[in-house]
Amino acid sequence: MQASVERTQLGRVLRAGTAAFTVGCRTAEAALPRFGALVRAEAAAGQAVYGLIYDVCVDDDPFVRQLLAAGDLTAEYVADQRERRQVPVEVRVLVVGGQDAAGRMFRYLPPQPPATLSWVTLAAPDEVRAFGARLDFLTTLLNALEAPGDELAAATLRQIAAAEDNQEAERRYLVAAGRELARLLSRDPVRLNAILQRLR
Amino acid sequence: MAWAGLLPGQADVHSTPDLMLELNQLSEPVAQLAGALAGQQHRLRDLIQQAQARFAAHARVSEDLKEKRARAADADKSWRGAEPLGPRLDAVRSLPAAPAAATLIASDGSQIYPDPHAVALYYLLNVGSIVLRQGSGEAPSTGTSSRLFFNDRDLYDERERLIDTDKVNAERDLWELERLAELAAAERAALGGDLSRPLVALDDGPLLLWMPQRLSDVQQVRRVEQFARPLDELRRMQAIPLGYIDRPRSANVLRLLQVADLPLEQISQQSVRRNQYRGLSDRLLFDALLQPGQRSTLFAVTSDINDSYEQQGHRIAFCYLNVARPEAVGARAARVVRVELPLWAAADEDRLDAALAAVWHDAWLRGYPYVLTRAHELAVVSHHERATLEQMLQIELMRAGLTGEISAKQQNKNDVSGRR
């Protein structure tokens, strides 16, 4: 994935660990980020960390709380709070892979977490497809402790499938993903069934 | 463990080295303070009643009252009594309950003062502004502008002394007013010159400048001239500049009442300087008089500075306004604020009342104008931002081959305060 790819900026890394990191962004940046979306945090020398959004948390402050208590808010005030105020939105990301200095994508935990204030972008459709081409990352999701891994796996697979060019490719992708899940969860049919239900 | 020392029952402060404010030593003085305040309240209650009675007695602005006011102003140049501009002191106007939608423009500033202990000698001004178009449904426009001052002519006065905080404050206040004028011009232009929509330019604090006494007359006049320019522009744009003072402590009307009670021949520098209503402010008179959405009649402040404003065409007047929500009736629920304005903005009192009503509605949400809160939020420089700025400065200084370092004293202060 080259630097020339058009990506939507999400925010910057607030704090990070090997398995997960948190991104700070502003509500002003229009639509709230989506659960299960693939994001990319830039690292040194062309390297990157890939992760999946598993929690979006809109912060409040005393100012907002008091406005709620006051009641009669007109549209200008609501728009000001939503679009102009720098009330931070925290986005939590589960790390699932990365990109090495040679530009190769990998789907296991990278050796280093992203640095504070690194830019985080939403992955472009090409990048989403490339990342989803191999399903090794599902193991990380199913074993995740900090995120609702099963829900996240279903949401992510749906989004990767949706990035395919046509409906046939989308269906093929979901079938392949279903097979991989069946292999990984062969000893837990109840859990497997719950995820498969969410893929339909 | 920084909180450990704040736990009740932990009397031995020496065993909790993190405790800096020895709160247990303060508990007695705090109780004494509360007791003293309670005592004062009794005294003040009687005094308020007395003042209210005198206010009612002098309500009609007689020729005698005008003469006494003029005599007091002559007797003592520092006398700051109110000059009533209407026929009655207790006249009240009700603002329109559903005024035409107005555009509210507000600005507020903050600063970093020059500090010899910092990495370099500079000062910073930061002005936040907001334009809220009532009834539009749109998000308001917001902005922040910063200026860094580091040239010798900015940092030293004519006697080669480092400028003081008063000078920085004055520059900040001036810039706030200039921003209001710029934004008013842009708004009027965006309206295609349509004059029917009220433009309210709201500034936090008085419009009438506070001048340090050490300034010479010439310096004072020069400063007023600077402030008159943005006021000229606001007038040209038919905007209404308002200085909003929350919980005002001014007592100009009370000073007038005190003089009104003196026989004309007893008005002297000594007698007008005696403050019979010490501890009281005008607000307390108007708490009982003004219902929510009502304002007092207009007054002007008697002062040399205001005479300078008048020479520039902007004599400053003021009124009191109850900005409480309509259902908050009664003196105890009153939220009386002081609003200052140039006299020309009151030429059409209906137009002025429409502007004040827009401010009143904007203050319903929080008891204080929303737009001023937001302007303040946009202007404020956080500790974190200040630290980043100093870091940027330090890097640039090093790049230029200079060593920019904070003083040893400041470094040590930062190191110990980092633990708290």
Side-chain angles (χ1 to χ4, degrees), chain A residues 8-89:
Chain A
T8 311
Q9 227 158 50
L10 184 68
R12 287 181 185 271
V13 172
L14 273 180
R15 49 185 175 272
T18 305
F21 60 89
T22 302
V23 184
C25 56
R26 290 170 43 188
T27 27
E29 276 148 62
L32 287 174
R34 286 170 62 176
F35 179 71
L38 183 71
V39 302
R40 171 190 165 105
E42 301 302 325
Q47 302 179 73
V49 176
Y50 282 105
L52 298 167
I53 294 177
Y54 72 88
D55 194 21
V56 179
C57 171
V58 182
D59 238 341
D60 69 347
D61 63 6
F63 193 28
V64 174
R65 274 193 289 267
Q66 236 195 343
L67 288 181
L68 283 179
D72 39 17
L73 276 176
T74 60
E76 301 90 64
Y77 297 109
V78 176
D80 183 42
Q81 291 292 325
R82 282 196 189 145
E83 297 171 36
R84 299 281 188 264
R85 279 197 76 218
Q86 302 193 9
V87 174
V89 171

Side-chain angles (χ1 to χ4, degrees), chain A:
Chain A
M1 294 303 107
Q2 306 310 312
S4 60
V5 175
E6 275 283 307
R7 299 192 189 90
T8 311
Q9 227 158 50
L10 184 68
R12 287 181 185 271
V13 172
L14 273 180
R15 49 185 175 272
T18 305
F21 60 89
T22 302
V23 184
C25 56
R26 290 170 43 188
T27 27
E29 276 148 62
L32 287 174
R34 286 170 62 176
F35 179 71
L38 183 71
V39 302
R40 171 190 165 105
E42 301 302 325
Q47 302 179 73
V49 176
Y50 282 105
L52 298 167
I53 294 177
Y54 72 88
D55 194 21
V56 179
C57 171
V58 182
D59 238 341
D60 69 347
D61 63 6
F63 193 28
V64 174
R65 274 193 289 267
Q66 236 195 343
L67 288 181
L68 283 179
D72 39 17
L73 276 176
T74 60
E76 301 90 64
Y77 297 109
V78 176
D80 183 42
Q81 291 292 325
R82 282 196 189 145
E83 297 171 36
R84 299 281 188 264
R85 279 197 76 218
Q86 302 193 9
V87 174
V89 171
E90 281 196 11
V91 177
R92 301 205 173 93
V93 176
L94 185 73
V95 177
V96 287
Q99 178 185 286
D100 63 19
R104 283 185 302 254
M105 240 178 208
F106 57 88
R107 293 157 194 81
Y108 48 83
L109 291 186
Q112 289 172 324
T116 313
L117 298 183
S118 301
W119 273 113
V120 179
T121 50
L122 289 173
D126 281 352
E127 211 170 2
V128 172
R129 274 197 300 274
F131 189 83
R134 293 186 50 172
L135 293 161
D136 329 18
F137 67 92
L138 284 175
T139 325
T140 317
L141 289 190
L142 298 179
N143 294 326
L145 294 175
E146 46 281 277
D150 294 5
E151 288 279 359
L152 185 60
T156 301
L157 289 170
R158 281 198 310 266
Q159 289 184 37
I160 297 172
E164 294 291 345
D165 296 330
N166 56 61
Q167 282 200 336
E168 178 51 27
E170 188 175 343
R171 198 192 59 84
R172 265 206 313 272
Y173 185 79
L174 287 176
V175 170
R179 284 210 186 100
E180 178 65 7
L181 285 167
R183 197 178 67 77
L184 293 171
L185 293 171
S186 58
R187 292 190 188 170
D188 197 344
V190 178
R191 198 173 158 202
L192 171 65
N193 195 41
I195 302 178
L196 291 180
Q197 293 284 350
R198 287 169 168 75
L199 279 185
R200 288 195 183 131

